[in-house]
């Protein structure tokens, strides 16, 4: 690990420890006390996904620890945080250091699919646990499934399924993609294009932009407009998606009749764009802060701890996954859980999930956690009651339909 990465890890851990939230206990323990479970949040603290994940994922994990400790005393847990800088070598080195030298038992979040694949392999090698709440590629429970990791909240299949199917049915039968040029963008384009074709539509072309670092999408938008496609599909996320939507409006693509599909746009991007720009956008999601009393109660706790930002589905997933993980640890005993990550994963699959944000659910043998998903449309300014009131629900997709059927994923662990 480089000196820079070590410094980032130390600074992030200190910053996380300073957050005003109980649950992360000191690493030093009294004689006879069982060792603490250590959870490492490997995330984007300063890049394009930082609002959607970042320190918010650590806040969510600590809230889960706080609630778990009300259920079960005697088990201690603490959270470490580091910035992977969207560089696979930095992310992998940080994960290796955590596992080898700092006693981390579970890695959470990882909002970069290329890094997630590397962490999944490392977790298997070290017999630790990884729960991906930020990574999107559906291959994590397909060809790259494994005995030491789970995929929580969402993936490229679930996000593209509802959005593409709905738009093709409404007449949006020709698409052009602007795609982030790495594993996540490729998977999102592939999964969305498959649904477009399955609905009878056609893909007229695609442009791939460097990641990270692209801020000017004008050349890609010119190509999209020249294609004559009815729908611009954005196979990217975070700030990249927000910039594409904003610049597409400036270039007059929407006024010219092109619809924009952003399967992975999240609430902070809508907030930064404003409803005048984002209104009418169709997006799918598995969590919205205002969907029920459980989500609203979580948002009231979360928002003051994270720069006034409402929780995204990645934050909600961090809470849900951490709570279920700790319950599995409690059912096994800390010593066994720390010694055998694969055994913890098996126990998490055996136990039904249950939390106030996603309700009751299951973790499938391929590692996919399933729950309902929703299709939303961004409200017009006149419809919104105030800040963060941005979504109108169009449709609910039941859990058994919201994610790719296990038989179609190609996971070696479940093939017969």
């Amino acid at each position: 690990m480089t000196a820079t990465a070590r410094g980032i890890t130390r600074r992030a851990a200190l910053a996380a420890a300073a957050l005003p939230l109980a649950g992360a206990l000191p690493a030093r323990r009294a004689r006879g006390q069982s060792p603490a479970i250590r959870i490492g949040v490997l995330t984007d603290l300063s890049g394009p996904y930082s609002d959607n994940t970042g320190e918010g994922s650590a806040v969510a994990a600590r809230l889960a620890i706080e609630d778990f400790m009300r259920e079960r005393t005697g088990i201690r847990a603490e959270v470490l945080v580091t910035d992977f800088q969207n560089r696979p070598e930095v992310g992998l080195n940080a994960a290796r250091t955590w596992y080898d030298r700092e006693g981390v038992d579970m890695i959470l979040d990882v909002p970069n699919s290329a890094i997630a694949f590397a962490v999944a392999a490392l977790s298997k090698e070290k017999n630790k646990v990884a729960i991906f709440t930020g990574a999107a590629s559906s291959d994590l429970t397909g060809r790259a499934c494994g005995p030491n990791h789970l995929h929580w909240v969402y993936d490229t299949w679930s996000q593209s399924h509802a959005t593409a199917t709905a738009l093709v049915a409404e007449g949006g039968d020709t698409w052009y993609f602007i795609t982030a040029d790495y594993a996540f963008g490729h998977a999102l384009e592939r999964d969305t294009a498959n649904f477009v074709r399955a609905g009878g539509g056609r893909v007229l072309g695609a442009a791939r932009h460097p990641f990270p670092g692209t801020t000017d999408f004008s050349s890609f938008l010119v190509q999209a407009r020249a294609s004559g496609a009815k729908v611009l599909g954005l196979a990217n996320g975070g700030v990249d998606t927000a910039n594409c939507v904003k610049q597409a409006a400036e270039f007059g693509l929407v006024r010219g009749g092109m619809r924009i599909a952003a399967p992975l746009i999240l609430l902070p991007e809508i907030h930064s764009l404003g409803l005048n720009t984002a209104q009418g956008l169709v997006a799918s999601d598995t969590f919205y802060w205002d969907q029920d009393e459980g989500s609203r109660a979580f948002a009231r706790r979360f928002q003051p701890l994270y720069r006034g930002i409402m929780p995204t589905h990645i934050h909600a997933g961090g809470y849900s996954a951490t709570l279920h993980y700790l319950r599995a640890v409690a059912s096994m005993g800390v010593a066994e859980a720390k010694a055998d990550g694969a055994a913890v994963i098996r126990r998490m699959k055996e136990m039904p999930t249950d939390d106030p944000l996603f309700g009751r659910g299951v973790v499938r043998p391929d590692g996919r956690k399933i729950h309902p998903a929703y299709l939303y449309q961004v409200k017009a300014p006149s419809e919104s009651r105030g800040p963060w009131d941005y979504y109108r629900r169009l449709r609910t997709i039941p859990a058994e339909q919201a994610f790719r059927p296990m038989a179609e994923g190609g996971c070696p662990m479940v093939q017969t």
Side-chain angles (χ1 to χ4, degrees):
M1 189 176 194
T2 65
T4 300
R6 285 195 298 271
I8 289 168
T9 301
R10 287 195 295 270
R11 290 194 298 273
L14 289 171
L19 286 176
L21 182 62
L25 301 181
R28 194 177 295 274
R29 58 190 172 98
R31 184 175 299 174
Q33 210 172 30
S34 62
I37 291 293
R38 307 199 87 190
I39 297 170
V41 176
L42 191 59
T43 191
D44 180 359
L45 294 175
S46 55
Y49 306 140
S50 56
D51 283 350
N52 295 331
T53 60
E55 284 285 358
S57 293
V59 169
R62 291 193 183 89
L63 287 171
I65 292 170
E66 188 177 86
D67 290 349
F68 171 78
M69 292 178 70
R70 292 195 187 98
E71 296 179 3
R72 180 79 174 250
T73 58
I75 293 180
R76 302 175 306 121
E78 58 191 24
V79 174
L80 288 74
V81 186
T82 197
D83 187 353
F84 55 38
Q85 303 172 56
N86 280 294
R87 292 167 55 193
E89 71 280 7
V90 172
L92 183 59
N93 286 339
R96 190 178 297 277
T97 297
W98 272 349
Y99 284 159
D100 289 346
R101 302 178 191 172
E102 300 185 33
V104 165
D105 303 292
M106 186 266 274
I107 288 179
L108 184 72
D109 195 1
V110 199
N112 180 306
S113 294
I115 299 173
F117 290 130
V119 171
L122 180 67
S123 299
K124 181 180 178 181
E125 175 190 331
K126 302 293 183 180
N127 197 16
K128 299 286 190 174
V129 172
I131 306 179
F132 300 116
T133 52
S137 175
S138 59
D139 290 333
L140 284 163
T141 53
R143 62 172 179 81
C145 71
N148 288 77
H149 71 269
L150 303 176
H151 203 181
W152 222 262
V153 194
Y154 78 116
D155 59 33
T156 52
W157 194 100
S158 67
Q159 295 297 115
S160 58
H161 173 231
T163 305
T165 302
L167 288 177
V168 172
E170 293 174 5
D173 56 0
T174 53
W175 288 56
Y176 187 93
F177 287 95
I178 294 178
T179 302
D181 194 11
Y182 78 110
F184 149 65
H186 301 169
L188 184 57
E189 179 189 323
R190 177 199 66 204
D191 289 344
T192 307
N194 285 342
F195 289 117
V196 170
R197 296 185 185 104
R202 294 180 296 138
V203 175
L204 302 185
R208 293 182 171 178
H209 66 82
F211 175 88
T214 303
T215 57
D216 182 359
F217 293 88
S218 57
S219 63
F220 307 116
L221 292 166
V222 168
Q223 293 174 52
R225 181 166 55 191
S227 75
K230 298 176 183 177
V231 179
L232 172 62
L234 300 179
N236 52 20
V239 173
D240 291 339
T241 297
N243 283 336
C244 280
V245 173
K246 181 180 179 180
Q247 292 172 31
E250 293 169 352
F251 270 71
L253 267 66
V254 176
R255 290 194 303 273
M258 180 176 265
R259 299 192 68 176
I260 299 177
L264 258 175
I265 196 164
L266 272 67
L267 207 62
E269 281 86 65
I270 301 298
H271 186 73
S272 68
L273 287 167
L275 293 183
N276 283 322
T277 299
Q279 63 180 305
L281 200 66
V282 174
S284 58
D285 215 325
T286 54
F287 171 87
Y288 176 47
W289 74 269
D290 197 23
Q291 64 191 15
D292 54 37
E293 186 47 46
S295 61
R296 287 188 286 272
F298 177 72
R300 286 193 293 270
R301 296 170 66 193
F302 178 95
Q303 188 184 27
L305 300 170
Y306 192 47
R307 298 185 279 119
I309 296 173
M310 282 296 185
T312 66
H313 66 223
I314 295 173
H315 301 137
Y319 173 91
S320 171
T322 300
L323 188 61
H324 191 61
Y325 168 74
L326 291 172
R327 286 170 175 167
V329 169
S331 75
M332 300 171 61
V334 172
E336 181 183 354
K338 290 177 79 70
D340 191 347
V344 180
I345 294 289
R346 290 194 296 271
R347 184 61 58 89
M348 293 180 75
K349 292 176 180 178
E350 293 167 358
M351 298 170 57
T353 63
D354 191 5
D355 63 71
L357 306 186
F358 297 94
R360 292 182 63 83
V362 298
V363 181
R364 297 190 317 201
D366 62 352
R368 175 71 261 167
K369 197 273 188 183
I370 63 169
H371 40 249
Y374 310 94
L375 186 68
Y376 293 105
Q377 187 167 38
V378 177
K379 292 180 175 181
S382 60
E383 298 176 274
S384 175
R385 296 167 295 176
W388 301 102
D389 177 33
Y390 298 152
Y391 284 166
R392 180 175 66 255
R393 188 187 301 183
L394 301 178
R395 188 179 308 163
T396 299
I397 300 98
E400 61 274 15
Q401 299 173 21
F403 293 91
R404 180 182 58 205
M406 189 163 55
E408 297 177 8
C411 172
M413 297 192 304
V414 298
Q415 287 181 334
T416 57

